Amino acid sequence: MRQIPVHVAIIMDGNGRWAQAKGLPRVAGHKEGISSVRRVVKIAADTGVKYLTLYSFSTENWKRPSEEVEFLFSLMETTLIKEMKELHDNNIKVRFIGRIRALPDKLQKIIEDTEELTANNTGLNLTFAVNYGGRQEIIDAVKKSISLGYSVDKLDEVSFREFLYCPELPDVDLMIRTAGEQRLSNFLIWQSIYAEFYFTETLWPDFSETDFKKAINEFTKRKRRFGGL
Ligand code: FPP
């Protein structure tokens, strides 16, 4: 039987371009991007993917105009308030990784509520990376290990993982990026060393069930050697 990926990570790109192409303000693209999030969560759960991680706001995204940043945070708030119960009813465990403490209080509170509500769910593990950077994650992990008095003799790849934002998050099997760009942009750098990459020209708001299935199908054809023969 063909192996489906355990952990799929997605760099959701192209919201702005989608909106601009339609003569709409950039934020309309983010709004439409939520429909794709909903679609992908459903199809990932149905396909039997165990972990889905979505790059929702990077530590570099603060460079955008403040109105766009504020819009994104408020869109996340309203989406979570609206969808929290349905996610829970579908047995989805929702988590957030990133420098959450730097987010607006209201968003932090909703993040906490969503994580708490869904904490004991056993279905799809859905992780939103918000104010997330891969290098920052590693720096934060080093800081945490030092503050906990971690002994340098014990330091190895397995024990270090315990200090990452979500130690349980396994290595990424399939990394998808939409909208034609072919780079990692500081996403999950610790977890992606042997990820298979799938790039598509499709803009995130247009990313369909068929696109997701195409990516999974492509993954099943890859030969993974993890450095071996
Ligand atoms: C990239 O498009 C998209 C983003 C920076 C934001 C994506 C966030 C969401 C869809 C919200 C996630 C929802 C929750 C509940 C956490 P872009 O603006 O970089 O597009 P462009 O490259 O065409 O300008």
Side-chain angles (χ1 to χ4, degrees), residues 94 133 154:
V94 187
K154 282 198 199 152

PDB file of all heavy atoms in Angstrom, residues 94 133 154:
ATOM      1  N   VAL A  94      -6.312  21.162  18.344  1.00  0.00           N
ATOM      2  CA  VAL A  94      -5.746  22.384  17.770  1.00  0.00           C
ATOM      3  C   VAL A  94      -4.644  22.940  18.673  1.00  0.00           C
ATOM      4  O   VAL A  94      -4.818  23.038  19.890  1.00  0.00           O
ATOM      5  CB  VAL A  94      -6.837  23.470  17.584  1.00  0.00           C
ATOM      6  CG1 VAL A  94      -6.281  24.669  16.821  1.00  0.00           C
ATOM      7  CG2 VAL A  94      -8.049  22.910  16.859  1.00  0.00           C
ATOM      8  N   GLY A 133       8.773  31.653  13.716  1.00  0.00           N
ATOM      9  CA  GLY A 133       9.984  31.630  12.893  1.00  0.00           C
ATOM     10  C   GLY A 133      10.787  30.408  13.311  1.00  0.00           C
ATOM     11  O   GLY A 133      10.855  30.093  14.506  1.00  0.00           O
ATOM     12  N   LYS A 154      23.936  16.016  28.331  1.00  0.00           N
ATOM     13  CA  LYS A 154      22.725  15.281  27.928  1.00  0.00           C
ATOM     14  C   LYS A 154      22.207  15.739  26.573  1.00  0.00           C
ATOM     15  O   LYS A 154      21.255  15.186  26.031  1.00  0.00           O
ATOM     16  CB  LYS A 154      21.626  15.531  28.958  1.00  0.00           C
ATOM     17  CG  LYS A 154      21.779  14.740  30.217  1.00  0.00           C
ATOM     18  CD  LYS A 154      20.442  14.724  30.932  1.00  0.00           C
ATOM     19  CE  LYS A 154      20.599  14.376  32.383  1.00  0.00           C
ATOM     20  NZ  LYS A 154      19.538  14.979  33.197  1.00  0.00           N
TER      21      LYS A 154
END
